[in-house]
Short mmCIF file of all heavy atoms in Angstrom, two decimals:
data_model
loop_
_atom_site.label_atom_id
_atom_site.label_comp_id
_atom_site.label_asym_id
_atom_site.label_seq_id
_atom_site.Cartn_x
_atom_site.Cartn_y
_atom_site.Cartn_z
N PHE A 54 131.15 87.15 -54.99
CA PHE A 54 131.76 85.88 -54.60
C PHE A 54 132.28 85.95 -53.16
O PHE A 54 132.01 85.06 -52.34
CB PHE A 54 132.89 85.54 -55.57
CG PHE A 54 133.64 84.27 -55.23
CD1 PHE A 54 133.02 83.04 -55.30
CD2 PHE A 54 134.97 84.33 -54.84
CE1 PHE A 54 133.71 81.87 -54.99
CE2 PHE A 54 135.67 83.17 -54.54
CZ PHE A 54 135.04 81.94 -54.61
N VAL A 145 131.69 73.62 -50.05
CA VAL A 145 131.80 72.89 -51.31
C VAL A 145 130.99 71.59 -51.25
O VAL A 145 130.23 71.27 -52.17
CB VAL A 145 133.28 72.59 -51.65
CG1 VAL A 145 133.38 71.62 -52.82
CG2 VAL A 145 134.03 73.88 -51.96
N LEU A 148 127.15 72.36 -51.13
CA LEU A 148 126.67 72.80 -52.44
C LEU A 148 126.49 71.62 -53.37
O LEU A 148 125.47 71.50 -54.07
CB LEU A 148 127.64 73.81 -53.05
CG LEU A 148 127.56 75.25 -52.54
CD1 LEU A 148 128.79 76.05 -52.99
CD2 LEU A 148 126.29 75.92 -53.02
N PHE A 152 123.06 70.33 -55.17
CA PHE A 152 122.88 70.15 -56.61
C PHE A 152 122.27 68.79 -56.92
O PHE A 152 121.41 68.66 -57.79
CB PHE A 152 124.22 70.29 -57.34
CG PHE A 152 124.82 71.67 -57.27
CD1 PHE A 152 126.17 71.86 -57.49
CD2 PHE A 152 124.04 72.78 -56.95
CE1 PHE A 152 126.73 73.13 -57.43
CE2 PHE A 152 124.59 74.05 -56.88
CZ PHE A 152 125.94 74.23 -57.11
N ARG A 163 120.53 78.08 -63.82
CA ARG A 163 121.73 78.23 -64.65
C ARG A 163 121.34 78.67 -66.06
O ARG A 163 121.97 79.56 -66.64
CB ARG A 163 122.46 76.89 -64.70
CG ARG A 163 123.72 76.88 -65.56
CD ARG A 163 124.82 77.70 -64.94
NE ARG A 163 126.10 77.40 -65.56
CZ ARG A 163 127.22 78.05 -65.32
NH1 ARG A 163 127.21 79.06 -64.45
NH2 ARG A 163 128.34 77.72 -65.92
N ASP A 176 123.05 82.56 -59.52
CA ASP A 176 124.06 81.62 -59.98
C ASP A 176 125.45 82.00 -59.46
O ASP A 176 126.25 81.13 -59.12
CB ASP A 176 124.07 81.61 -61.52
CG ASP A 176 124.92 80.48 -62.09
OD1 ASP A 176 124.84 79.35 -61.56
OD2 ASP A 176 125.66 80.73 -63.04
N LYS A 177 125.69 83.30 -59.34
CA LYS A 177 127.00 83.76 -58.89
C LYS A 177 127.18 83.71 -57.37
O LYS A 177 128.30 83.75 -56.88
CB LYS A 177 127.23 85.21 -59.36
CG LYS A 177 127.36 85.35 -60.86
CD LYS A 177 127.38 86.81 -61.28
CE LYS A 177 127.42 86.94 -62.80
NZ LYS A 177 127.33 88.37 -63.24
N GLY A 179 125.30 81.35 -55.30
CA GLY A 179 124.97 80.06 -54.69
C GLY A 179 124.69 78.96 -55.69
O GLY A 179 124.30 77.86 -55.31
N GLY A 180 124.90 79.26 -56.97
CA GLY A 180 124.64 78.29 -58.01
C GLY A 180 125.90 77.62 -58.52
O GLY A 180 126.93 77.58 -57.85
N ILE A 181 125.83 77.12 -59.74
CA ILE A 181 126.95 76.38 -60.32
C ILE A 181 128.17 77.28 -60.51
O ILE A 181 129.30 76.86 -60.26
CB ILE A 181 126.53 75.74 -61.66
CG1 ILE A 181 125.48 74.66 -61.39
CG2 ILE A 181 127.73 75.14 -62.39
CD1 ILE A 181 124.89 74.04 -62.64
N CYS A 182 127.93 78.51 -60.93
CA CYS A 182 129.06 79.45 -61.12
C CYS A 182 129.80 79.65 -59.80
O CYS A 182 131.04 79.61 -59.77
CB CYS A 182 128.53 80.78 -61.65
SG CYS A 182 129.80 82.04 -61.89
N PHE A 183 129.05 79.85 -58.73
CA PHE A 183 129.67 80.03 -57.42
C PHE A 183 130.41 78.77 -56.99
O PHE A 183 131.54 78.83 -56.48
CB PHE A 183 128.60 80.39 -56.38
CG PHE A 183 129.13 80.52 -54.98
CD1 PHE A 183 129.99 81.55 -54.63
CD2 PHE A 183 128.77 79.59 -54.01
CE1 PHE A 183 130.48 81.67 -53.33
CE2 PHE A 183 129.26 79.70 -52.70
CZ PHE A 183 130.12 80.75 -52.38
N TYR A 184 129.80 77.61 -57.21
CA TYR A 184 130.42 76.34 -56.84
C TYR A 184 131.75 76.14 -57.57
O TYR A 184 132.75 75.71 -56.95
CB TYR A 184 129.47 75.18 -57.16
CG TYR A 184 130.11 73.82 -57.04
CD1 TYR A 184 130.32 73.24 -55.79
CD2 TYR A 184 130.51 73.13 -58.18
CE1 TYR A 184 130.93 72.00 -55.68
CE2 TYR A 184 131.11 71.89 -58.07
CZ TYR A 184 131.31 71.32 -56.82
OH TYR A 184 131.92 70.10 -56.72
N GLN A 185 131.78 76.43 -58.85
CA GLN A 185 133.01 76.24 -59.62
C GLN A 185 134.14 77.12 -59.09
O GLN A 185 135.28 76.68 -58.96
CB GLN A 185 132.74 76.54 -61.10
CG GLN A 185 131.85 75.51 -61.78
CD GLN A 185 131.44 75.91 -63.18
OE1 GLN A 185 131.39 77.11 -63.52
NE2 GLN A 185 131.12 74.93 -64.00
N ARG A 186 133.81 78.37 -58.77
CA ARG A 186 134.83 79.28 -58.24
C ARG A 186 135.27 78.85 -56.84
O ARG A 186 136.46 78.92 -56.51
CB ARG A 186 134.30 80.71 -58.20
CG ARG A 186 134.09 81.35 -59.55
CD ARG A 186 133.90 82.85 -59.45
NE ARG A 186 135.09 83.52 -58.92
CZ ARG A 186 135.20 84.83 -58.78
NH1 ARG A 186 134.20 85.62 -59.14
NH2 ARG A 186 136.30 85.37 -58.30
N LEU A 187 134.31 78.41 -56.03
CA LEU A 187 134.63 78.01 -54.67
C LEU A 187 135.49 76.74 -54.66
O LEU A 187 136.45 76.63 -53.87
CB LEU A 187 133.35 77.79 -53.87
CG LEU A 187 133.51 77.61 -52.35
CD1 LEU A 187 133.99 78.93 -51.72
CD2 LEU A 187 132.22 77.18 -51.71
N LYS A 188 135.16 75.80 -55.53
CA LYS A 188 135.94 74.56 -55.62
C LYS A 188 137.37 74.86 -56.06
O LYS A 188 138.33 74.29 -55.54
CB LYS A 188 135.27 73.60 -56.60
CG LYS A 188 135.92 72.21 -56.67
CD LYS A 188 135.03 71.27 -57.49
CE LYS A 188 135.63 69.88 -57.55
NZ LYS A 188 136.83 69.84 -58.39
N ALA A 189 137.52 75.77 -57.01
CA ALA A 189 138.85 76.17 -57.48
C ALA A 189 139.63 76.84 -56.35
O ALA A 189 140.84 76.62 -56.20
CB ALA A 189 138.74 77.10 -58.68
N LEU A 190 138.93 77.66 -55.55
CA LEU A 190 139.57 78.32 -54.41
C LEU A 190 140.02 77.28 -53.38
O LEU A 190 141.14 77.37 -52.85
CB LEU A 190 138.61 79.32 -53.76
CG LEU A 190 139.09 79.99 -52.47
CD1 LEU A 190 140.35 80.82 -52.72
CD2 LEU A 190 137.98 80.86 -51.88
N LYS A 191 139.16 76.31 -53.11
CA LYS A 191 139.51 75.24 -52.16
C LYS A 191 140.78 74.52 -52.61
O LYS A 191 141.69 74.28 -51.80
CB LYS A 191 138.35 74.25 -52.06
CG LYS A 191 138.68 72.99 -51.27
CD LYS A 191 137.58 71.95 -51.39
CE LYS A 191 138.02 70.63 -50.80
NZ LYS A 191 136.99 69.58 -50.90
N GLU A 192 140.85 74.18 -53.89
CA GLU A 192 142.03 73.47 -54.42
C GLU A 192 143.27 74.35 -54.36
O GLU A 192 144.37 73.87 -54.07
CB GLU A 192 141.73 73.02 -55.85
CG GLU A 192 140.64 71.95 -55.93
CD GLU A 192 140.18 71.68 -57.34
OE1 GLU A 192 140.60 72.43 -58.26
OE2 GLU A 192 139.38 70.74 -57.54
#
Side-chain angles (χ1 to χ4, degrees):
F54 178 67
V145 170
L148 281 167
F152 294 160
R163 179 70 165 173
D176 190 43
K177 293 172 184 176
I181 293 175
C182 179
F183 176 68
Y184 170 77
Q185 290 173 334
R186 291 194 63 177
L187 191 68
K188 186 170 181 289
L190 174 62
K191 171 190 171 181
E192 293 170 353

